[in-house]
Amino acid sequence: MPITKWEQTAPGIWRLTIGEPQGITPLTWMGVAPKDEALEQMPQVEPPFAWDRVQLEEAGGRFILSLPLNRTEKLYGTGLQLLRMNQRGRTRFLRVNSDPKQDTGETHAPVPFYVSDQGYGVWVDTSRIVTMHCGSTLKQEDTQHEEIRDRNTDKGWKATPVASRVEIQIPAEGAVVYLFGGPTLSEVVARYNLMCGGGVLPPKWGLGFWHRVPTLYSDQQVLEEAEQFRLNDFPCDVIGLEPGWHSHSYPVSYEWEKSRFPEPASFVKELAQKGFRVNLWEHPYVSPQSELYAGLQQLSGTHTVWGGLAPDYSLPEAAELYKKQHEEQHIQIGVSGYKLDECDGSELTNNSWMFPAHAKFPSGLDGEQMRQMYGLMFQKMTADLFRSQNRRTYGLVRASGGAASTMPYVLYSDLYDHKQFIRGICSSSFSGLLWTPEVRRARNAEDWVRRMQTVCFSPMAMLNAWGDGTKPWSFPEVEGTVRHYIKLRMKLLPYLYTAFAVYREQGIPPFRAMPFVLTPEEIADAEAKLALDEQQLLNTTDAAYGKKKVREWDDQYMVGDALLVAPLVEGETEREVLLPAGIWYGLETGERYTGGRVIRVQAGLEHIPVFVKSGSIIPMTAALSHVPAPGTLTEIELVHFGTEPGTARLYDDDGETFDYEQGKCSWWNLSVTIDQDGHYIGAWMGENDGSSSYQKVTWRFAQTHLLMNEQQ
């Protein structure tokens, strides 16, 4: 039956209630207020299709929502997807699950939100598992008989024929569905993020370099390793402690192991004096040896995990017990954040572990709902704990979901495929999520450098040495290259911090896949030029007969508005890069490129291909050993690239508190113009005359690349 009961809730956003939704949902749990002012400033758009083209039926005790597709439409999103970026033609079973090695849709962070390259998006706000058939099903009345082919004789036969609709299996009790207009894909995602409260603004120190030490390190070993960063001239802001800091682990106690950390407060203070923050690993399952166990026992589910309680943190009294203990034993002594591990569960690894879907919880939630929501619960609970202290945090989480864009957490996985990790940066950008391609180990120096280069251009630059004790200087032959890229990240902190501030205010992700900046027509045109070049230069059978694999461009991405990153992995020395229109320069090579086409670039191990758009203004600062404390004045250099005029924005605040919400922050508009004599003129205009961070501003005009003395 057609659906006509859509309600417009904000400019370009419509809501449909199906059935009688029950229990909490990601949006209701987060309790965030939409950024109405930013939404009001977005373009006015009409619904992307006529309402009578949306159908709803009941089948097998569930609702099936059907939405139209055109033949060439590409679909992105559905959360963190490591195995593909374009979901068209796939069925996505969106269950929280760790280590997704099969392309089913199960993932650490499933979000039933797909985004079309035609400029609209659809989100199902529910705590239940949702299955999305993203153009992977054909109803009888939609089947085109002329497209039915004989596989025995017709090479054009397809396992997944082109379908004309998306079919979404809605939970039996119903759900709320949101439709987002564009007109561009970027504006669709921005509307979704703004409706969910906007994007997160991490503390400045969170954007520095992170190092996680081996599991059983003692306080003295941690201090010695931290000192090695300073002695070896490697920047580092955060030291992460793995399970061994607990008195009991798997299940956990959340209490300090006195034999390894006899005086936690003094330990954390000493690291802070050296410019290091402390991040603590934990998971949700409470040990019988924990002081929290007795109070949480009646507030937990029917099933245990590793013998530990699975508390029902939808209950305020359970959350308060957790918060009180964490505040007294962690926050008050200076701990800066958490790594929230294993809140996902697994049936996809060598072992199955998690409470089952039929588990019962005191709140009335069942195991399916709790598992889908557990990562969100832990993110919000810990983020609220730091907010109550007027302190920002930044950390890691292994499960997430919808409405998570305001959460100060970055996803990670126990998987370790470098290409998948690059794809994760791209795929997460469609769903209000952040992802780190963390570095853990390497087969050789080349693998080590390529992974380090990628992670330095990601939401969290981290080396996780919990298992093998690696250090940034573990491969001496490439130590200089690794140091160079960690320092380059430190120099780019004003640029990165501004990109996150734009995320908070406008909903535009700081790291974003290429469909954010290129229309389907622009991508097709660039690919057509490439195909023509290949035919002329190579004249190979694959190129001539179209057998070459279709590119998704899921191995390159934008960082902010000005930088395009195209990583290489071990074994690669060259690659194709899809450049948007305009003039671009190699950030470190200075080579000039004309965009609107696919180019081929070569890069030795000492370089990762990064491109800067001509006319861009990149704010940069010194490569310090760690992010300075609030109130510390530093110099900033505004580097203008190319020959044409340009504009940019720069944001700053104290970098640690939420005082920016009361207006204690600064936005500047930066511009470069050319006078009648051909001289470049730089302008710095903003709301405030000064800044809490920058005491001296210098300009450099018409640059084509970073100079060597800037890179060290």
Side-chain angles (χ1 to χ4, degrees):
M1 61 180 177
I3 296 298
T4 59
K5 296 181 180 179
W6 294 88
E7 171 192 7
Q8 186 162 9
T9 62
I13 304 176
W14 296 267
R15 178 174 62 197
L16 172 68
T17 301
I18 299 174
E20 299 180 2
Q22 300 172 10
I24 61 175
T25 72
L27 191 58
T28 60
W29 176 255
M30 288 301 175
V32 290
K35 284 193 167 291
D36 292 324
E37 184 176 348
L39 285 167
E40 291 289 344
Q41 294 174 358
M42 297 194 71
Q44 298 291 322
V45 292
E46 296 297 318
F49 33 68
W51 295 130
D52 61 7
R53 297 185 66 195
V54 182
Q55 302 286 319
L56 183 69
E57 60 183 289
E58 293 187 52
R62 290 178 176 256
F63 296 98
I64 305 297
L65 180 67
S66 174
L67 302 105
L69 282 176
N70 70 35
R71 292 189 62 82
T72 61
E73 203 166 334
K74 295 179 180 179
L75 304 179
Y76 304 105
T78 68
L80 172 71
Q81 297 292 340
L82 298 177
L83 297 172
R84 69 175 59 238
M85 191 169 79
N86 178 12
Q87 309 302 327
R88 178 69 186 263
R90 303 297 299 179
T91 295
R92 306 288 79 177
F93 177 61
L94 297 174
R95 177 173 67 163
V96 169
N97 219 329
S98 74
D99 298 347
K101 298 178 182 179
Q102 299 295 321
D103 191 20
T104 64
E106 292 178 277
T107 171
H108 297 285
V111 182
F113 174 50
Y114 71 83
V115 189
S116 168
D117 67 350
Q118 301 301 300
Y120 70 92
V122 178
W123 179 37
V124 183
D125 181 31
T126 178
S127 58
R128 295 286 183 189
I129 297 169
V130 171
T131 299
M132 287 186 160
H133 301 275
C134 300
S136 58
T137 56
L138 266 175
K139 298 190 77 171
Q140 188 177 123
E141 60 265 30
D142 296 329
T143 303
Q144 303 294 317
H145 287 279
E146 61 271 19
E147 294 189 3
I148 301 174
R149 302 176 184 271
D150 182 352
R151 186 178 181 183
N152 292 327
T153 58
D154 193 335
K155 293 183 179 180
W157 181 90
K158 294 181 180 179
T160 306
V162 178
S164 60
R165 66 182 73 202
V166 170
E167 293 189 309
I168 305 174
Q169 190 177 95
I170 303 292
E173 66 265 25
V176 177
V177 179
Y178 291 89
L179 177 66
F180 300 87
T184 67
L185 180 147
S186 181
E187 287 162 327
V188 173
V189 175
R191 289 185 202 269
Y192 167 77
N193 289 331
L194 290 171
M195 194 190 80
C196 297
V200 66
L201 180 62
K204 287 183 181 179
W205 54 259
L207 298 179
F209 190 75
W210 292 49
H211 179 72
R212 307 198 71 85
V213 299
T215 296
L216 296 180
Y217 260 28
S218 67
D219 53 2
Q220 290 305 307
Q221 289 173 302
V222 175
L223 290 166
E224 289 169 7
E225 187 139 306
E227 184 63 21
Q228 287 298 310
F229 272 84
R230 302 296 184 242
L231 293 174
N232 285 283
D233 191 28
F234 277 88
C236 186
D237 272 275
V238 183
I239 296 291
L241 306 185
E242 289 293 300
W245 76 267
H246 288 84
S247 58
H248 292 85
S249 180
Y250 286 92
V252 294
S253 64
Y254 304 126
E255 299 160 16
W256 293 90
E257 169 53 53
K258 295 301 183 182
S259 67
R260 286 189 284 273
F261 298 91
E263 297 181 3
S266 298
F267 163 73
V268 174
K269 182 179 180 180
E270 186 171 353
L271 278 175
Q273 291 171 343
K274 299 176 184 294
F276 294 96
R277 310 284 174 149
V278 173
N279 178 280
L280 298 180
W281 173 99
E282 64 175 42
H283 66 220
Y285 315 111
V286 182
S287 169
Q289 305 301 319
S290 172
E291 62 186 24
L292 286 173
Y293 189 88
L296 288 173
Q297 191 166 16
Q298 298 304 313
L299 303 173
S300 298
T302 54
H303 291 66
T304 61
V305 179
W306 300 315
L309 299 174
D312 186 343
Y313 285 121
S314 70
L315 299 174
E317 54 268 42
E320 285 307 311
L321 286 172
Y322 173 96
K323 288 181 179 180
K324 183 176 185 295
Q325 190 265 2
H326 279 56
E327 180 179 353
E328 292 175 352
Q329 297 193 24
H330 308 161
I331 310 302
Q332 288 182 2
I333 68 171
V335 168
S336 294
Y338 296 98
K339 175 182 176 180
L340 305 174
D341 202 1
E342 291 154 333
C343 42
D344 43 16
S346 180
E347 290 80 23
L348 304 178
T349 59
N350 291 332
N351 301 290
S352 292
W353 55 268
M354 193 47 162
F355 47 77
H358 59 266
K360 298 178 181 178
F361 289 82
S363 63
L365 297 176
D366 60 32
E368 176 189 338
Q369 294 169 299
M370 188 63 72
R371 180 170 177 175
Q372 294 291 103
M373 293 291 297
Y374 232 24
L376 291 173
M377 287 182 179
F378 271 82
Q379 289 179 75
K380 186 173 189 329
M381 191 162 56
T382 49
D384 286 351
L385 179 55
F386 280 95
R387 177 175 276 275
S388 71
Q389 308 291 317
N390 194 26
R391 290 170 55 189
R392 278 183 264 170
T393 186
Y394 201 45
L396 294 136
V397 69
R398 217 173 76 178
S400 193
S405 59
T406 60
M407 290 294 97
Y409 283 95
V410 181
L411 287 153
Y412 66 100
S413 175
D414 281 347
L415 299 175
Y416 203 53
D417 183 279
H418 192 181
K419 283 186 175 291
Q420 290 181 15
F421 275 22
I422 296 167
R423 186 178 298 116
I425 297 175
C426 300
S427 73
S428 61
S429 65
F430 297 105
S431 303
L433 304 169
L434 300 172
W435 163 263
T436 175
E438 63 172 18
V439 182
R440 295 198 290 273
R441 63 182 186 277
R443 287 181 289 271
N444 49 51
E446 181 187 4
D447 186 34
W448 185 246
V449 168
R450 291 310 190 194
R451 288 181 181 274
M452 278 289 187
Q453 290 168 336
T454 300
V455 84
C456 285
F457 287 96
S458 82
M460 180 180 286
M462 185 178 72
L463 170 58
N464 185 4
W466 75 272
D468 55 14
T470 52
K471 317 289 189 295
W473 51 90
S474 286
F475 290 86
E477 64 269 39
V478 292
E479 179 179 327
T481 301
V482 173
R483 180 185 293 108
H484 159 64
Y485 279 102
I486 295 175
K487 286 193 171 187
L488 180 55
R489 181 181 177 91
M490 298 299 290
K491 289 185 68 68
L492 289 170
L493 281 180
Y495 177 80
L496 293 173
Y497 197 57
T498 299
F500 272 95
V502 171
Y503 185 33
R504 175 176 67 86
E505 291 202 351
Q506 300 178 20
I508 302 171
F511 296 79
R512 60 195 86 138
M514 298 314 296
F516 279 83
V517 295
L518 287 164
T519 67
E521 294 75 21
E522 288 172 326
I523 295 174
D525 183 57
E527 290 176 335
K529 292 176 183 176
L530 175 65
L532 180 61
D533 290 343
E534 287 179 335
Q535 286 183 359
Q536 291 175 342
L537 296 175
L538 302 176
N539 195 28
T540 65
T541 300
D542 282 352
Y545 292 95
K547 295 179 181 178
K548 189 172 182 178
K549 183 180 179 182
V550 175
R551 288 289 301 267
E552 290 193 23
W553 304 108
D554 55 359
D555 58 354
Q556 62 176 74
Y557 51 90
M558 297 296 298
V559 181
D561 294 327
L563 298 180
L564 189 156
V565 180
L568 293 168
V569 303
E570 179 193 3
E572 296 178 344
T573 57
E574 63 179 6
R575 60 161 292 163
E576 292 172 347
V577 179
L578 174 62
L579 278 184
I583 301 301
W584 295 78
Y585 295 94
L587 181 66
E588 299 185 89
T589 67
E591 189 167 349
R592 185 180 186 274
Y593 302 93
T594 300
R597 63 190 309 115
V598 177
I599 63 170
R600 177 165 286 276
V601 297
Q602 295 181 329
L605 194 56
E606 68 279 5
H607 285 134
I608 176 176
V610 180
F611 306 86
V612 58
K613 191 171 185 180
S614 184
S616 299
I617 304 169
I618 306 294
M620 302 182 73
T621 189
L624 302 176
S625 62
H626 60 89
V627 173
T632 304
L633 298 179
T634 59
E635 297 182 7
I636 189 168
E637 188 171 43
L638 304 176
V639 185
H640 164 247
F641 287 86
T643 57
E644 66 254 53
T647 60
R649 299 182 77 198
L650 174 65
Y651 174 83
D652 193 44
D653 59 26
D654 66 23
E656 289 204 4
T657 74
F658 291 94
D659 290 354
Y660 63 79
E661 295 177 344
Q662 282 70 53
K664 295 182 179 180
C665 60
S666 301
W667 274 104
W668 293 277
N669 292 316
L670 313 177
S671 66
V672 172
T673 56
I674 307 174
D675 67 16
Q676 60 184 4
D677 296 322
H679 298 132
Y680 291 94
I681 301 172
W684 163 294
M685 297 175 291
E687 303 166 1
N688 301 328
D689 293 332
S691 163
S692 60
S693 300
Y694 307 128
Q695 65 173 347
K696 180 181 178 182
V697 180
T698 58
W699 288 86
R700 188 125 43 76
F701 301 111
Q703 303 298 294
T704 59
H705 67 288
L706 297 179
L707 302 177
M708 285 303 297
N709 62 353
E710 294 171 339
Q711 301 177 42
Q712 300 305 317

